[in-house]
Amino acid sequence: MPTLNKIRTALSGTVTRKTRSTPVPPTDPRLARLRLALTAFFAMDGFLFAGWVVRIPAIKAHTGAGTGALGLALLGVSAGAVAFMMITGRLCRRFGSHAVTAASGAAMALSIVLPPLTHSATALGLVLLVFGAAYGSLNVAMNSAAVELIGALRRPVMPGFHAAFSLGGMLGAGLGGLIAGGLSPTVHLLLLALIGLLVAAVAGRSLLAHPAPAVPVAERRPAAERRTGPRRPGRLVCVFGLIALCTAYGEGAMADWGALHLSQDLAAGPGPAAAGYAVFALAMTAGRLSGTAVVQRFGPARALIAGGTTATAGMLLGALAPSAWAACLGFAVAGLGLANIFPIAIARAGEAGGAGGVAVASTIGYGGMLLGPPVIGFLAEAFSLPLALTTVALLAAAAVVIAYGTRGAHHNERA
């Protein structure tokens, strides 16, 4: 009888995959501690990145870079991130996502002090390669850890982690707007580095003290898929990566060019210019805090389609508005629309391919950030920055089309 059961199991394609540890019950208090530690890393990531973003105009003036040269220098962030993402996927498989998350968080905190020390666009681009490498590594590692934790919790809580990123971004941008006129970029980013190192030390210790919960990818797939075999996870990962690319382009554009658009094209002061990214981050935070409920209620496909449509309308307003405050309103609407697209795409890629799936989708997705800075910079020089920013709306619309065309690939799980 045991042999017959094994044969039936093999024929149905539901052979249990062995893992290095026993799956953790979703009510285990260790999961709550891991969730809190990961949330801290997501918040720190957004906080540090926003702190750098709001000082871009000051560093541009310090280096004397033109718009096109600045676009090429900013390319260093995306190039460094994309270059290290696939490497980080392998490191996560070798050393575990928790250890790589802790190390990458410390590296990002240290590297943020480098940009204001440069005196040319070339030097700025080189140090931004280092900063981007740490940023990309942290994003793959902590998203991989989040996917593992989501499998153990059995709830689609990825938007909540990305809400922490957005909240950190909002706080970082808000703080930057308050102190931009009183502190030099060097002192400002040094303070952020100290805060980042403190968070990495405390939250990293918690991650290292608790191993990642063992939830095999096969156990997270729906029963129908386990009976019929996998649905080409490589293809699904690439689809989700392409959706992430369209939206990462928008997030990167807002980070790199939003403040400059408000100050250069709409004559906003340092405070209002920083407020543009702050309201964008606030809207993303609000959208992501409700993201888990939205996905459970409507399913990931509908959430992606609605979000992309909203982002398209909001970014058109933000790019073409005649006043700074109207542009900020458009940025807020765009942030609300973009809020859950990237986390849904990365979570689905992780379900399809584990840490490797997160790495592949993140690499494709952050290709949007790789394309964004030079494309917008060159278009701004050839035409105007407002017109260049309308490409964000164009790609958000493309994400809607892709999500609608592949809606059958989304599993509408209701936890």
Side-chain angles (χ1 to χ4, degrees):
M1 184 64 67
T3 302
L4 181 59
N5 288 336
K6 289 181 180 179
I7 293 174
R8 288 174 176 170
T9 301
L11 291 175
S12 65
T14 57
V15 177
T16 302
R17 295 171 60 183
K18 294 182 180 180
T19 58
R20 287 177 291 183
S21 59
T22 303
V24 181
T27 56
D28 193 297
R30 287 176 295 175
L31 298 183
R33 290 192 288 271
L34 288 179
R35 186 174 180 180
L36 180 61
L38 280 176
T39 299
F41 272 104
F42 274 88
M44 181 198 78
D45 187 30
F47 181 76
L48 294 181
F49 190 75
W52 141 249
V53 163
V54 299
R55 300 318 298 253
I56 287 176
I59 294 175
K60 175 180 181 293
H62 176 70
T63 59
T67 305
L70 178 64
L72 288 175
L74 293 174
L75 179 62
V77 177
S78 300
V82 171
F84 264 75
M85 280 177 173
M86 293 304 296
I87 297 174
T88 303
R90 292 193 289 271
L91 290 176
C92 287
R93 292 192 291 272
R94 175 66 179 85
F95 300 104
S97 59
H98 289 186
V100 179
T101 297
S104 299
M108 183 178 176
L110 291 172
S111 63
I112 199 173
V113 302
L114 299 176
L117 303 179
T118 60
H119 299 282
S120 69
T122 301
L124 178 62
L126 291 175
V127 301
L128 289 181
L129 281 171
V130 179
F131 176 69
Y135 175 72
S137 182
L138 176 59
N139 274 268
V140 169
M142 67 185 184
N143 275 292
S144 297
V147 168
E148 294 165 346
L149 183 59
I150 288 167
L153 292 171
R154 299 168 192 170
R155 294 186 62 223
V157 297
M158 183 66 89
F161 289 122
H162 286 257
F165 172 86
S166 297
L167 179 60
M170 181 190 69
L171 293 175
L175 177 63
L178 289 175
I179 66 178
L183 291 179
S184 68
T186 302
V187 176
H188 177 197
L189 296 184
L190 178 60
L191 290 175
L192 296 190
L194 294 175
I195 295 172
L197 286 173
L198 178 61
V199 173
V202 175
R205 181 178 181 182
S206 180
L207 286 186
L208 294 175
H210 300 92
V215 182
V217 173
E219 290 183 13
R220 297 198 299 270
R221 293 177 184 151
E225 185 176 332
R226 292 199 301 267
R227 287 194 299 270
T228 59
R231 298 177 57 190
R232 297 193 181 186
R235 177 180 293 181
L236 288 180
V237 165
C238 291
V239 168
F240 294 132
L242 188 57
I243 293 173
L245 180 149
C246 293
T247 57
Y249 180 98
E251 292 189 51
M254 278 302 306
D256 291 341
W257 298 102
L260 194 61
H261 168 56
L262 292 173
S263 61
Q264 173 182 290
D265 300 315
L266 301 175
Y277 187 74
V279 297
F280 176 79
L282 176 61
M284 292 196 77
T285 302
R288 286 172 171 174
L289 286 173
S290 60
T292 297
V294 169
V295 174
Q296 288 179 315
R297 176 67 180 85
F298 300 104
R302 291 180 180 177
L304 290 175
I305 293 169
T309 303
T310 303
T312 300
M315 204 57 215
L316 285 174
L317 174 61
L320 303 177
S323 68
W325 296 114
C328 286
L329 175 61
F331 291 162
V333 174
L336 189 63
L338 292 174
N340 294 310
I341 300 178
F342 193 91
I344 291 172
I346 296 301
R348 294 301 172 183
E351 290 176 2
V358 172
V360 170
S362 296
T363 302
I364 297 173
Y366 281 96
M369 296 185 72
L370 184 68
L371 292 171
V375 168
I376 291 179
F378 292 140
L379 288 176
E381 280 203 337
F383 302 101
S384 67
L385 183 53
L387 180 63
L389 289 175
T390 61
T391 59
V392 175
L394 179 63
L395 285 188
V400 173
V401 173
I402 297 169
Y404 182 80
T406 59
R407 59 194 182 282
H410 302 272
H411 308 309
N412 189 4
E413 296 173 1
R414 303 177 188 275

